[in-house]
């Protein structure tokens, strides 16, 4: 109190007081509690322009890349062609049809993660179009069509793998929405898939000719690696064939077959389909690339060349079995007939266990380092022309046009190196089995076998289509009965829903086959 | 009227001015003498302070011991100090001559026993501990001051009740885990807040891609133990409230030493220690291990005994083989990688000051080599504290510290290989028949390490293990940390009772680490991604906190003592990180990013987070015996959405000093008896930032483009996790303060647990953060100090014990089964259980014969199949592995013939029943003997090291060396033993997570034993020294435990509530001896 009279002191004091006040004011400027991430954008800032939609679709494709292991395991391992060599856990059980609800491969999270991303684009892309004047309605439609197609394809995998599962078309977006969604049946979902695809087929891109690319290779990668009209047609063919609507299947198969962009590659060049891929035969393949730092894992499952210690999957070539013949090629014993898909095609002649289709690079078959060093960039092939041709054959057979079906079958066989072959017109079911055999030779280890077996077994209502092949390939004669019993019931052809998923979503019920167990 | 009023003021002002003049003219003088011989004392310090304890003026006595000093205001107190003499405080009053006779301070030279009543600062308010109503521990540093501790945590381990501290490993520079009063949170952090000189350390907030750094560095290692003035631990909500959400798990306050007026101290301390590892678990010799492998291969039917072409020819003792000498050794790998460790620790400090300026400068260096080859720790600490009195209204204080450290180990804990590369663990399992160095055909030892190519010899070895000695020599994982902290404050006395403080705290820290695994250390094929593999990462953080404090303190005639304080606080935290991983550089001489041939990963991250709080505190003491204190904190965190950003957390505490009541005067032996009760809420925010927003990040690729994906959903409902604490306490001082004890009983109830809840996968999202569930902690803490003898021989004893019971009170049904698997054990959070409960099979020994491995029903009768054969017992499902003679017996609890998840039951709890420490100190003349024990009782530990060393199946531990205990294994049908057969078969299930490896982790450990010699006063004077002491310390000399592993002190990460005590073969804490010197002049 006394000191207030002292002027000298006062000035000094106010100087400090002032600096304290300045400190205070400076710091209160910081007081707003808004912080925004630097490494990412918040949703309110996203969906402003066309590029945002494009990037989100690229993100969706990336998410689909994560599904490749599931595509392979679900579509291949329950069939008779591929054997699990080293099992990190759960794979052998699938291989041997001893699946339980704790098996990791019953988890479907990668698929739904991709579906969620696609659903997010479907919901928010129109918002971006509103915000961006240069973003036309037609361009928006192309993106919508692309997303509908991808979603249809993903659900098609779920239809073929699970009996019932949630069909979700809304993105998961905030913590106030309902997360436990009840299941729909596979048949219902197939109908939704068809209607999505029919809508998509009119609005998606035809090609990428309107865009400029750095080089031809990347343009090709876009043409084969993103959804265009032929991709929609291919999926429609497959879906209609599965649904048993053969006429429709033929219509969309023909759309592709008569599109001159697609040609079968010559027999000796059959390996080009897998290395480097993106051939004229290819319709849709999920792209992986070393150049663009986007490598996959596919090839590494079949070789140790990428530094992994173990080979996950090898071929199953037990002598004196039908499967052995598939791998070797029908007439491998006869040197005059060469199936280009046999040794050094589908498998390595040097190390016969190795699935050369994915491990190798050309027909040499002997190199230690088969693919280009460290370039783990094998594409995952969804559809190629040979597939469409055989699907059409299958449909024509059911439409009582066996001659035309046989012509298509022979087209594939001739390309593989068989000459002057004839096939006697057989009974509908037996011709179907011939087509099924041909599909084994052509698409071994491409993740199609199990779906093929189930489609035809269901159609013929004959579980032995599956059981005979599996028992023949895997079991000793004395044990074949046990093996057949494992696939006796149609419901056993579907995977169980993983136990964790049932626990987290009480609206779901287990596939009854696994409940009985 | 107007004039009248004005004149009144005028008169008032005149009076004041006049009185001012009168006072400024007042001068006092006197002589300072030694009371014993009446000799005058030149150079004694004379300080004049006002009632608020602020220094007004100071002077020193002249050569005749005389002084003169002006007295500027009323109610001043004269403080007279002289080194070696007891300080005197004399109220000036009306006196004009004050002669002071100082008494020689004899006790100071021998030993100061700090008794009872200490002043405690919570960093905001300075309150006598006797007037606190909340649970606060003020650690007595006197007892640990001469310990050779290189870190603060070592100093306080076992000494503070309720505070559980364990080192993460025995390696030098290893981090520590601190937990105060149990786990309150399931998914947020349980780490206490550490505050060094008002600078809070945020802990290691959720940064995902620098996992190794988070576990490695503790802010506490940035402080030099020699610089520490005081350590205070705040435990209940009433005391931590002032730190807001960051203090929700307790607060550890550390103050470093500051300069003192008119006194210059130069102190030097130097320590030298040697450390040795405790006894190893005995392992099989090379010869025994070869037998084990062959027996195992025979048991699984893989052994070919064809004399011309036997399998495993290397192991057949065939001297004609070229590699004979490489496969016939008896190497003790653990011995090979162990050595004697050394520590050199030197500190220097200079402290002093005058009336307006006081300073403290210190520098310290620590250089440590660990007991495991290849480990090192080097640290440089510097500190500078400055106090400057600008005027009697304004003062300035600063504390600054810079620390740089480098930790080197060969342990690489990463997920990219099957097994983490921990040389100690590898040494335990590496084949003992292999040599350290290559041997030629004649058995001569060559210069190169023997490292078999794992790609070629994969039948014999676990391919993910490498020559452990070569590994420690060739691979180093360097972690560098530098941190800078400063705290600046301006303190302004606005009016007599009002005080305004503004302060800024800044903490910068940079952590970078790198390792390089040269191809020669692994000898793998050149295209393998383990070849020349390197990782570099950098993580730096900035933390800035600005606070403004307005306080009011009023003492009304010693009847009412009121303190009120308002605080505004803003904090801003930012981090940046970068990580790069690559491999296959052209040569092992080519290290670093530029040389790489193969990129494995490249990532960067950044984050920012702010909090803001407004707080009101009051503390009221009536008649020195009724105390009421409270806080109201309104706090906001940027981690929450707009609607739930701010929350209010109140606390209230009352205390009654019953000993001061008139009716207690009959009990003269009671010096102080106080009951306390506190209640309050504290909030906890999630460890992750930006949780609220739905974020889109561009980190994926397809074709030639970068893709964007949504990372998470928008969290509209996320809110604060709150913990309600009730604390009942009692402080007692008896028999002239010779016996004191404190008792605390508490309950902490946490609601709205922040937790990542799993979502159905069909949502496309794995998890989201939400609030659910309740956790309760209840506990009792007791500590006591007794001065048994207090004459020529001084003998004191201290003891503390704490117990905490943790329970998950509520979890929604669908998350009852949240499970994390670790090392084969499911760790579950289940309603009713404590956090840290783990599950597993019940182990019941070994089936003597195949016939014994059959299913039995609940009554013990054999179950038969339809074909009349006894039903075989299987693993997991009806097609699973069939158990045979020599296999482990697991309880088939539901008698379904399957050993599976349904048979996995609760087998352990990682929480101790109680823990604490006790010590005793004996002082006689110049000698002090100190010893301190630490103990923990009733915690279950999973001995993973033993699980691996008695595993004997294949899998990750293929052909691993084993402990000598497996010599008692089952070998032939009919053997009765509790160690199963050797199989090396990955399908056998003899090594499942079972109670076989769960051990009682109780222990009692002689933490320190020290003998100190203080140079007697006469000699000190002769050498013109203030203090010289020499000490000899033993650390971890004795351990009493039934635990079978090397070291029962196993840390449980407080950042991860799922963590349970697992002995993963971390380097054991060493037994160490230290010789030290402390010199002050």
């Amino acid at each position: 109190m006394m000191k207030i009279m002292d002027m000298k002191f006062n000035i000094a004091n106010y100087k400090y007081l002032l600096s304290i006040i300045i400190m205070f004011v400076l710091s209160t400027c910081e007081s707003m509690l808004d912080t925004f991430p630097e490494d990412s954008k918040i949703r309110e800032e996203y969906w402003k322009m066309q590029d945002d939609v494009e990037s989100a679709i690229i993100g969706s494709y990336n998410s689909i890349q994560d599904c490749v292991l599931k595509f392979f395991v679900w579509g291949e391992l329950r069939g008779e062609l591929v054997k699990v060599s080293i099992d990190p856990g759960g794979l052998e059980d699938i291989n041997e049809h001893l699946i339980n609800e704790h098996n990791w491969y019953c988890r479907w999270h990668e698929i739904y993660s991709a579906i969620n991303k696609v659903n997010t684009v479907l919901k928010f892309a129109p918002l971006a179009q509103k915000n961006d004047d240069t973003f036309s309605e037609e361009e928006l439609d192309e993106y919508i069509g692309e997303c509908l197609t991808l979603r249809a394809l993903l659900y098609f995998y779920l239809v073929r793998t699970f009996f019932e599962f949630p069909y979700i078309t809304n993105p998961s977006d905030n913590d106030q929405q309902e997360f436990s969604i009840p299941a729909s049946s596979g048949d219902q979902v197939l109908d939704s898939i068809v209607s999505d695809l029919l809508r998509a087929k009119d609005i998606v891109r035809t090609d990428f000719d309107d865009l400029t690319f750095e080089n031809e290779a990347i343009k090709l990668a876009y043409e084969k690696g993103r959804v265009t009209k032929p991709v929609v047609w291919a999926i429609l063919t497959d879906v209609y064939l599965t649904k048993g609507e053969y006429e429709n299947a033929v219509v969309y198969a023909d759309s592709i077959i008569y599109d001159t962009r697609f040609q079968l590659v010559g027999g000796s060049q059959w390996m080009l389909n897998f290395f480097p891929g993106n051939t004229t035969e290819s319709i849709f393949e999920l792209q992986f690339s070393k150049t663009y730092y986007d490598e996959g894992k596919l090839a590494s499952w079949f070789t140790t060349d990428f530094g992994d210690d173990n080979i996950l999957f090898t071929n199953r070539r037990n002598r004196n079995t039908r499967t052995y013949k598939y791998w070797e090629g029908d007439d491998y014993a006869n040197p005059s007939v060469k199936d280009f898909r046999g040794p050094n095609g589908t498998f390595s002649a040097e190390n016969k266990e190795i699935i050369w289709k994915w491990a190798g690079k050309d027909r040499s078959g002997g190199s230690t380092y088969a693919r280009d060093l460290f370039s783990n960039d094998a594409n995952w092939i969804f559809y190629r022309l040979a597939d469409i041709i055989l699907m059409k054959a299958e449909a024509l057979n059911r439409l009582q046009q066996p001659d035309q079906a046989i012509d298509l079958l022979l087209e594939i066989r001739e390309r593989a190196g068989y000459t002057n072959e004839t096939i006697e017109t057989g009974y509908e079911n037996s011709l179907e089995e011939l087509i099924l055999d041909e599909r084994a030779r052509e698409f071994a280890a491409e993740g199609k076998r199990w779906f093929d077996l189930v489609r035809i077994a269901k159609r013929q209502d004959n579980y032995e289509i599956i059981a005979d092949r599996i028992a023949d390939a895997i079991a000793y004669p004395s044990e074949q009965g046990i093996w057949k019993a494992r696939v006796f019931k149609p419901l056993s052809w579907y995977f169980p829903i993983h136990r964790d998923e049932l626990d987290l979503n009480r609206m779901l019920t287990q596939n009854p086959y696994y409940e009985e167990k | 009227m107007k004039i009248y009023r004005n004149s009144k003021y005028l008169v008032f002002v005149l009076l004041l001015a006049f009185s001012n003049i009168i006072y400024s003219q007042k001068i006092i003088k006197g002589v300072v003498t030694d009371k014993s011989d009446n000799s005058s004392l030149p150079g004694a310090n004379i300080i004049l302070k006002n009632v608020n304890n602020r220094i007004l003026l100071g002077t020193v006595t002249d050569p005749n011991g005389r002084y003169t000093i002006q007295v500027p205001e009323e109610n001043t107190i004269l403080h007279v100090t002289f080194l070696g003499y007891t300080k005197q405080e004399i109220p000036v009053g009306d006196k004009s001559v004050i002669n002071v006779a100082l008494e020689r301070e004899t006790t100071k030279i021998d030993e100061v026993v700090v008794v009872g009543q200490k002043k405690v600062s919570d960093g905001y308010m300075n309150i006598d501990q006797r007037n606190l109503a909340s649970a606060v521990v003020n650690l007595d540093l006197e007892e640990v001051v001469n310990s050779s501790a290189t870190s603060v945590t070592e100093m306080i381990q076992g000494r503070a009740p309720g505070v559980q501290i364990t080192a993460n490993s025995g390696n030098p520079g290893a981090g520590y885990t601190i937990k105060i009063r149990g786990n309150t949170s399931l998914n947020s952090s349980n780490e206490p807040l550490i505050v060094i000189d008002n600078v809070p350390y945020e802990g290691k907030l959720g940064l995902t891609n620098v996992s190794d750094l988070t576990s490695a560095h503790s802010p506490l290692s940035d402080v030099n133990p020699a610089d520490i003035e005081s350590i205070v631990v705040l435990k209940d909500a009433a005391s931590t409230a002032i730190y807001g959400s960051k203090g929700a798990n307790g607060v550890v306050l550390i103050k470093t030493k500051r300069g003192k007026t008119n006194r210059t101290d130069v102190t030097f301390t130097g320590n030298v220690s040697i450390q040795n590892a405790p006894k190893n678990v005995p392992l099989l010799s090379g010869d025994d291990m070869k037998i084990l492998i062959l027996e195992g291969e025979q048991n699984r039917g893989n052994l070919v005994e064809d004399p011309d072409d036997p399998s495993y020819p290397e192991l057949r003792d065939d001297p004609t083989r070229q590699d004979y000498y490489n496969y016939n050794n008896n190497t003790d790998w653990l011995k090979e990688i162990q050595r004697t460790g050394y520590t050199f620790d030197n500190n220097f400090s200079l402290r002093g000051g005058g009336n307006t300026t006081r300073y403290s400068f210190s520098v310290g260096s620590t250089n440590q080599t660990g007991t495991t080859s290849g480990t090192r720790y080097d640290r440089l600490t510097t500190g500078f504290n400055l106090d400057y009195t600008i005027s009697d209204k304004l003062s300035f204080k600063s504390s600054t510290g810079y620390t740089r450290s480098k930790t080197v180990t060969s342990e690489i804990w990463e997920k990219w290989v099957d097994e983490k590369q921990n040389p100690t663990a590898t040494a335990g399992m590496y084949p003992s028949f292999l040599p350290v160095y290559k041997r030629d055909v004649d058995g001569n030892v060559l210069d190169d390490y023997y490292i078999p190519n794992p790609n070629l010899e994969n039948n014999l070895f676990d391919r993910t293990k490498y020559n452990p000695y070569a590994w420690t020599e060739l691979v180093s994982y360097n972690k560098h940390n530098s941190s800078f902290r400063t705290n600046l404050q301006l303190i302004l006395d606005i009016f007599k009772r009002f005080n305004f403080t503004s302060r800024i705290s800044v903490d910068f820290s940079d952590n970078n680490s790198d390792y390089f695994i040269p191809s020669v250390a692994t000898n793998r094929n050149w295209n393998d991604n383990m070849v020349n593999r390197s990782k570099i990462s950098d993580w730096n953080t900035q933390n800035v906190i600005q606070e403004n404090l307005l306080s009011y303190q009023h003492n009304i005639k010693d009847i009412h003592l009121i303190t009120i304080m308002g605080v505004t606080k803003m904090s801003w935290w930012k981090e940046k990180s970068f990580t790069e991983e690559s491999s296959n550089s052209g040569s092992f001489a080519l290290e670093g990013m530029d040389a790489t041939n193969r990129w494995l990963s490249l990532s960067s991250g950044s984050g920012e987070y702010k909090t803001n709080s407004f707080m009101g505190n009051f503390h009221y003491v009536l008649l020195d015996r009724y105390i009421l204190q409270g806080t109201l904190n309104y706090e906001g965190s940027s981690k929450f959405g707009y609607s739930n950003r701010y929350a209010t957390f109140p606390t209230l505490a009352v205390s009654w000093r019953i000993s001061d009541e008139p009716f207690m005067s009959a009990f003269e032996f009671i010096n102080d008896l106080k009951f306390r009760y506190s209640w309050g809420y504290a909030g906890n925010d999630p460890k992750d930032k930006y949780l609220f927003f739905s974020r889109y990040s561009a980190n994926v690729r397809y074709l030639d483009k970068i893709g964007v994906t949504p990372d998470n959903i928008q969290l509209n409902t996320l809110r604060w996790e709150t913990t309600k604490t009730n604390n009942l306490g009692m402080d007692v001082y008896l028999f002239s303060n010779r016996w004191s004890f404190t008792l605390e009983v508490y309950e902490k109830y946490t609601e709205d647990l922040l937790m990542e809840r799993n979502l159905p996968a069909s949502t496309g999202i794995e998890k989201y953060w939400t609030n659910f569930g309740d956790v309760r902690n209840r506990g009792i803490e007791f500590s006591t100090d007794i001065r048994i003898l207090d004459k020529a021989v001084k003998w004191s004893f201290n003891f503390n014990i704490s117990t905490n019971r943790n329970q998950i009170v509520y979890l929604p049904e669908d998350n009852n089964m949240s499970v994390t698997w670790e090392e084969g054990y499911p760790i579950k959070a289940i309603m009713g259980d404590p956090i840290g409960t783990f599950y597993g099979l019940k182990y019941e020994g070994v089936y003597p014969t195949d016939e014994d491995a059959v299913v039995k029903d609940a009554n013990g009768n054999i179950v038969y199949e339809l074909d009349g054969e006894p039903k075989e017992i299987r693993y997991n499902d009806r097609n699973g592995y069939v158990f045979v003679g020599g296999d482990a017996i697991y309880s088939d609890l539901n008698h379904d013939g399957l050993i599976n998840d349904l048979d996995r039951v609760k087998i352990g709890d990682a929480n101790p029943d109680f823990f604490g420490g006790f010590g005793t100190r004996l002082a006689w003349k110049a000698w002090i003997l100190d010893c301190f024990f630490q103990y923990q009782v009733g915690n279950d530990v999973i001995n993973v090291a033993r699980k691996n060393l008695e595993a004997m199946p294949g899998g990750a531990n293929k052909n691993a060396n084993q402990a000598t205990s497996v010599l008692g294994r089952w070998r032939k049908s009919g053997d009765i033993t509790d160690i199963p057969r050797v199989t090396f078969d990955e399908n056998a299930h003899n090594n499942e997570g079972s109670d076989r490896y769960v051990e009682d982790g109780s222990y009692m450990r002689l933490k320190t034993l020290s003998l100190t010699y203080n140079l007697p006063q006469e000699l000190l004077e002769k050498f013109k020294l203030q203090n010289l002491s020499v000490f000899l310390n033993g650390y971890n000399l004795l351990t009493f435990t039934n635990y079978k592993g090397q070291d029962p002190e196993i840390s449980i990460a407080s950042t991860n509530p799922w963590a349970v005590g697992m002995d993963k073969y971390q380097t054991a804490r060493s037994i160490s001896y230290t010789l030290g010197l402390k010199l002050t002049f």
Side-chain angles (χ1 to χ4, degrees), chain B residues 1030-1062:
Chain B
V1030 182
F1031 60 88
L1032 186 63
N1033 256 8
Y1035 204 65
N1036 293 339
L1037 293 183
L1038 284 172
T1039 304
F1040 306 92
T1041 182
N1042 287 326
Y1043 182 66
K1044 290 180 187 165
Q1046 204 176 1
D1047 183 357
E1049 200 180 324
I1050 288 150
S1051 71
I1052 303 174
S1054 57
T1055 43
N1056 174 12
W1058 292 99
V1060 299
M1062 287 201 179

Side-chain angles (χ1 to χ4, degrees), chain B residues 243-290:
Chain B
Y243 289 94
S245 61
K246 288 169 193 133
N249 298 315
V251 182
V252 179
L253 295 175
I254 293 172
K255 284 218 177 305
T256 60
K257 289 175 183 157
R258 308 194 77 85
K260 294 192 171 105
T261 307
N262 289 345
R263 168 171 167 181
T264 304
D265 286 351
V266 180
T267 306
F268 169 79
T269 57
N271 302 331
V272 183
S273 310
I274 58 167
Q275 286 110 21
N276 281 304
K279 220 173 97 215
N280 294 322
V281 175
L283 302 173
L284 292 185
S285 67
D287 302 335
D288 282 338
M289 190 184 164
K290 281 185 287 186

Side-chain angles (χ1 to χ4, degrees), chain B residues 624-842:
Chain B
D624 200 34
R625 47 185 195 259
Y626 309 106
I627 302 160
L628 179 68
Q629 69 184 72
T631 316
L632 198 65
N633 180 16
Y634 179 67
E635 185 173 1
S637 162
S638 66
K639 291 175 179 177
F640 295 105
Y642 300 108
S643 49
N644 299 315
R645 192 159 273 180
Y646 281 91
T648 307
F649 306 102
T651 72
L652 205 62
V654 291
S655 173
W656 178 28
R657 178 170 295 108
I658 192 169
S659 55
D660 283 9
E661 294 289 347
F663 59 81
M664 290 294 286
S665 56
F667 306 97
E668 259 183 35
F669 66 95
I670 300 176
N671 304 100
D672 197 348
L673 170 61
K674 188 175 72 170
F675 294 102
R676 298 180 266 115
Y677 169 71
S678 77
W679 163 94
Y681 280 92
N684 207 348
D685 56 1
K687 58 183 178 212
D688 293 353
K689 291 161 287 290
Y690 313 121
L691 279 180
F692 163 71
F693 299 112
S694 173
R695 302 183 306 273
Y696 288 67
S697 60
N699 47 15
V700 297
R701 289 166 181 274
Y702 185 67
L703 293 164
D704 58 345
K705 287 189 177 147
I706 304 285
V708 173
T709 53
D711 296 337
N712 61 324
I713 57 175
Q714 185 167 314
L715 302 176
N716 296 325
T717 62
L718 195 70
R719 59 189 184 275
W720 289 84
E721 172 181 300
T722 54
T723 300
K724 184 172 78 182
T725 307
N726 280 294
N727 191 92
L728 202 57
M730 179 168 82
D731 300 311
V732 186
Y733 293 87
L734 304 172
F735 309 113
S736 318
N737 291 331
R738 280 176 65 170
W739 182 25
S740 67
F741 63 86
T742 297
L743 180 70
E744 310 261 6
V745 182
Y746 64 88
E747 182 188 75
K748 295 208 288 183
Y749 195 91
T750 310
E751 289 174 313
D752 284 344
L753 287 173
L754 283 166
M755 193 156 169
E756 264 194 302
R757 192 170 180 178
N758 290 320
L759 278 175
S762 59
T763 57
I765 310 160
E766 227 181 310
K767 295 166 171 185
Y768 75 118
W769 281 91
T770 186
N771 302 81
F772 68 91
D774 298 352
V775 166
R776 184 175 60 209
N777 283 279
R778 282 173 169 166
I780 302 173
E781 293 158 359
F782 174 79
S783 64
T784 186
D785 269 290
I786 310 170
R787 279 183 291 142
I788 302 162
L789 295 175
D790 206 9
K791 298 273 156 51
V793 178
K794 292 176 196 299
W795 181 28
S796 65
F797 176 76
N798 67 73
F799 171 80
N800 75 76
I801 184 166
S802 313
T803 167
N804 183 67
R805 293 286 176 272
N806 174 285
Q807 194 186 20
I808 300 169
V809 180
Y810 170 69
L811 277 186
E813 190 193 0
D814 60 332
N815 270 272
N816 242 357
M817 295 293 285
S818 306
V819 183
T820 312
W821 282 78
E822 209 179 336
E823 304 288 349
Y825 289 85
I827 300 160
K828 302 185 185 184
I830 291 185
M831 224 157 96
D833 280 353
I835 300 172
T837 307
F838 48 90
Y839 284 65
L841 297 168
K842 289 272 202 191

Side-chain angles (χ1 to χ4, degrees), chain A residues 63 72-73 77 92 101-102 181 202-203 220 227 235 365 412 457:
Chain A
S63 206
F72 181 83
V73 169
L77 282 197
E92 251 166 23
E101 61 183 15
H102 296 286
I181 311 289
D202 299 325
I203 55 177
L220 191 63
V227 171
I235 304 171
I412 298 302

Side-chain angles (χ1 to χ4, degrees), chain B residues 13 165 362 368 465 634 750 932 985 1059:
Chain B
V13 170
I165 298 178
S362 71
Q368 209 175 344
K465 298 279 191 312
Y634 179 67
T750 310
F932 186 75
D985 177 358

Side-chain angles (χ1 to χ4, degrees), chain A residues 314-385:
Chain A
T314 60
N315 62 37
R316 193 189 292 284
R317 291 170 57 261
N318 294 336
R319 271 183 192 283
N320 304 321
T321 63
R322 199 192 319 212
T323 316
Y324 182 80
K325 289 183 194 156
Y326 288 155
W327 283 107
E328 298 278 350
D330 244 346
D331 293 317
Y332 179 55
N334 177 0
S336 64
V337 174
K338 227 187 181 80
D339 186 333
F340 287 110
R341 300 171 303 194
N344 291 345
T346 307
F347 67 97
S348 158
E350 189 181 84
N351 181 350
K352 298 188 175 176
E353 295 276 278
I354 288 182
I355 298 177
W356 194 245
K357 187 186 257 186
W358 295 121
K361 150 178 190 179
D362 52 33
R363 292 190 49 78
S364 66
S367 157
T368 322
Y369 299 109
R371 287 191 156 255
D372 280 355
L373 189 63
F374 301 148
S375 54
N376 200 340
D377 57 359
N379 294 341
W380 175 255
I381 303 174
F382 285 113
Y383 293 102
R384 56 192 172 94
L385 184 57

Side-chain angles (χ1 to χ4, degrees), chain A residues 19-95:
Chain A
S19 57
I20 289 175
I21 291 165
I22 289 168
M23 264 163 77
F24 185 84
V25 170
L26 282 179
S27 57
T28 41
C29 295
E30 280 274 312
S31 74
M32 295 292 287
L33 283 184
D34 286 333
T35 60
F36 298 102
E38 286 176 29
D39 308 334
S40 50
K41 262 188 179 177
I42 62 171
R43 190 178 64 219
E44 291 78 353
E45 304 278 309
Y46 203 75
W47 306 114
K48 297 284 188 209
M49 54 186 176
Q50 184 172 0
D51 278 359
D52 290 345
V53 179
E54 171 76 14
S55 299
I57 285 178
I58 291 293
S60 308
Y61 276 102
N62 173 276
S63 206
I64 297 170
Q65 288 181 325
D66 297 336
C67 306
V68 170
L69 180 60
K70 291 284 161 71
F71 292 160
F72 181 83
V73 169
W74 292 350
E76 197 65 59
L77 282 197
R78 301 190 71 188
E80 76 276 40
L81 302 176
V82 169
K83 191 170 87 180
V84 173
S85 169
I86 285 289
D87 184 11
L91 286 173
E92 251 166 23
D93 289 347
I94 295 170
N95 216 198

